[in-house]
Amino acid sequence: MTSQVSSTAEQADGAVVGEQRTAAGAKDVRRLDRVIIRFAGDSGDGMQLTGDRFTSETASFGNDLSTLPNFPAEIRAPAGTLPGVSSFQLHFADHDILTPGDAPNVLVAMNPAALKANIADLPRGAEIIVNTDEFTKRAMQKVGYDSSPLEDGSLDGYSLHPVPLTTLTVEALKEFDLTRKEAERSKNMFALGLLSWMYHRPTEGTERFLRSKFARKPDIAAANIAAYRAGWNFGETTEDFAISYEVAPAAKAFPPGVYRNISGNLALSYGLIAASRQADLPLYLGSYPITPASDILHELSRHKNFGVRTFQAEDEIAGIGAALGAAFGGSLAVTTTSGPGVALKSETIGLAVSLELPLLIVDIQRGGPSTGLPTKTEQADLLQAMYGRNGEAPVPVVAPRTPADCFDAALEAARIALTYRTPVFLLSDGYLANGSEPWRVPDLQELPDLAVQFVQGPNHTLEDGTEVFWPYKRDPRTLARPWAIPGTPGLEHRIGGIEKQDGTGNISYDPANHDFMVRTRQAKIDGIDVPDIEVDDPDGAKTLVLGWGSTYGPITAAVRRIRKEGGRIAQAHLRHLNPFPHNLGDVLARYERVVVPEMNLGQLATLVRAKYLVDARSYNQVNGMPFKAEQLATVLKEAIDD
């Protein structure tokens, strides 16, 4: 379905908003309001790099955008097979958008496996650019094609562009001293050049990137640039592409400011650095590499100039142990992982609860259980974050909603950890981590003051007048205990996992003291100051859709579609999952129906039903992919009409 142009509604497909006739003999230029492109090929074809470069040029052009990289779960699946297909989807527009799009308008398929793995997602009439050189009999049989889909009529409903990408690339690079295999590796740059011509993308940035990336191999840099330019020139001269397209900058979608394209993991890394600077504390990361969290370790290791120290430990337990030690020593301490790593870290998280030290546990969620789906997204660690420790060990939980929002969520998690002296879970996921969108670089004046006061001397007077340091004497407002730097004279105190006596911190086996300490730690979490949840309800709806984390984009896009068609529906989205906003119960009670879409089997819905006794309805998906807007719109319409 093609919808009208709107700066506030996300449409289903790119709408033609104008056509410009050029001089006689020249090609037509058609203006669109939005486009969804998917690059797909073997995991060795460079599809992620191709998509990333197209995205960077699109961001510099000023379009709003959202991306969905989709990696194979195996490190290197057999070439030309369905499990080895890697894809990168980009949605860009001249208005505000929220998702990578439901269905591509354009598919670039580098081989038969890429075509077969993605054809079901394409609407009729979509453009398909295929690398015909890879459609050999053996390659097609490997993925189950009995006959060539390029010739048997099965693609008649699409606009098919057969292009011998490999042959054209090799021909374009014949003047370079490269083997055929080396020349073939540049076919992704040829494809990028062709798509850049089709959609009038800038070229200077990609050429600068290639010169920088291959600075030590200038011949390879020159070959890739030549292939890129050859793809552009092919689009300009071939008769098969009679039309190019323009998507204007999204001038009205962004408030004034300096913007850059940013992924969730990069935004989260920058947020952690900003938090450490605002707190005037060194940032310490104790981590063990795990997909999809490893990029945070890679990024933070580049910023020693900001006082960042990174430790790649031998395992997950060592990583969090080192981070907790750094917290004891006065650092803003972080450990990064995914769901399987959280399970291994659980005992040390419980220790951090007992010690009441600030520690950020960053969980980039992926499909599980066990090793599960390393490169696919899921929201199934919520209950693990809430309850996955022995004993009563409450931990605040914060969840970003978009890639750019990971920056602010990191600052918020740090605020809670430092103010209340507690470990904090930051729940991102693979979709947010790898996806990207424009991000406005904030002014320093906009960042919160996270300054921490370390205790400098005795804080308690005994009955005999002696001044001593009590490590568990609490702030009456926050219930946070004092933070003492090891080595400060007179502030020596005991730490360890055995229960502490209130105030003194001495080991205690007293039942009444244990009951008091458990309830006090819970009261501290319950009393955390979090903003009230905001409700978007312009029409007095009877149905509320409640989300958390990365479902924000698809839910909001679905809500916009429903309202555009005259439906009435309210929306609220949770950033704070423990504690819940204090007004959440009142909000839920105002609606006859509450629908909770989640990429799990109903974990938030379970918590909401238990705490507020509302009949929250779950809508769940656990296929490793984010929701589609049209999918949610259909479900929400049914809920409204029920």
Side-chain angles (χ1 to χ4, degrees), residues 18 66-67 124 152 179 194 206-207 250 282 324 333 342 397 411 441 455 521 548 629:
S66 180
T67 69
R124 291 291 176 174
D152 63 10
T179 66
L194 173 57
T206 293
E207 294 192 8
L324 185 56
V342 173
V397 180
L411 284 165
V441 180
V455 63
R521 287 190 289 260
W548 71 278

Side-chain angles (χ1 to χ4, degrees), residues 212-273:
S212 174
K213 181 177 178 63
F214 299 107
R216 297 183 180 180
K217 299 179 179 179
D219 291 343
I220 299 298
N224 277 281
I225 292 171
Y228 178 62
R229 291 175 177 174
W232 177 284
N233 293 332
F234 178 77
E236 183 73 29
T237 57
T238 184
E239 295 298 321
D240 192 33
F241 293 91
I243 298 173
S244 64
Y245 303 92
E246 286 184 348
V247 180
K252 297 180 180 179
F254 306 115
V258 177
Y259 287 82
R260 59 156 296 169
N261 182 50
I262 201 165
S263 69
N265 273 351
L266 184 57
L268 202 154
S269 300
Y270 288 174
L272 293 173
I273 296 172

Side-chain angles (χ1 to χ4, degrees), residues 336-469:
T336 53
T337 189
S338 188
V342 173
L344 293 166
K345 297 177 187 290
S346 61
E347 183 181 12
T348 308
I349 297 171
L351 176 60
V353 172
S354 177
L355 300 182
E356 300 187 45
L357 286 170
L359 172 67
L360 301 186
I361 304 109
V362 178
D363 178 5
I364 312 298
Q365 300 167 94
R366 73 188 204 192
S370 188
T371 301
L373 303 168
T375 62
K376 309 303 179 183
T377 194
E378 206 162 274
Q379 287 183 299
D381 292 348
L382 176 56
L383 293 183
Q384 180 178 217
M386 290 283 290
Y387 303 119
R389 293 162 295 282
N390 64 295
E392 296 286 346
V395 174
V397 180
V398 176
R401 64 186 188 178
T402 68
D405 188 49
C406 289
F407 178 87
D408 295 317
L411 284 165
E412 175 65 359
R415 177 191 73 85
I416 293 173
L418 295 171
T419 302
Y420 296 90
R421 308 287 195 271
T422 177
V424 177
F425 261 101
L426 182 56
L427 289 184
S428 181
D429 61 44
Y431 171 39
L432 295 183
N434 296 316
S436 64
E437 65 177 351
W439 171 60
R440 187 180 70 83
V441 180
D443 293 330
L444 288 178
Q445 294 78 8
E446 300 174 31
L447 301 180
D449 181 5
L450 302 178
V452 173
Q453 294 296 324
F454 294 109
V455 63
Q456 300 297 325
N459 62 357
H460 183 75
T461 304
L462 299 176
E463 291 182 0
D464 63 2
T466 304
E467 292 187 338
V468 297
F469 172 62

Side-chain angles (χ1 to χ4, degrees), residues 42 100 126 249 268 292 297 379 384 421 542 558 562 566 568:
D42 195 69
L268 202 154
L297 171 61
Q379 287 183 299
Q384 180 178 217
R421 308 287 195 271
K542 296 180 179 179
I562 291 171
R568 293 191 298 176

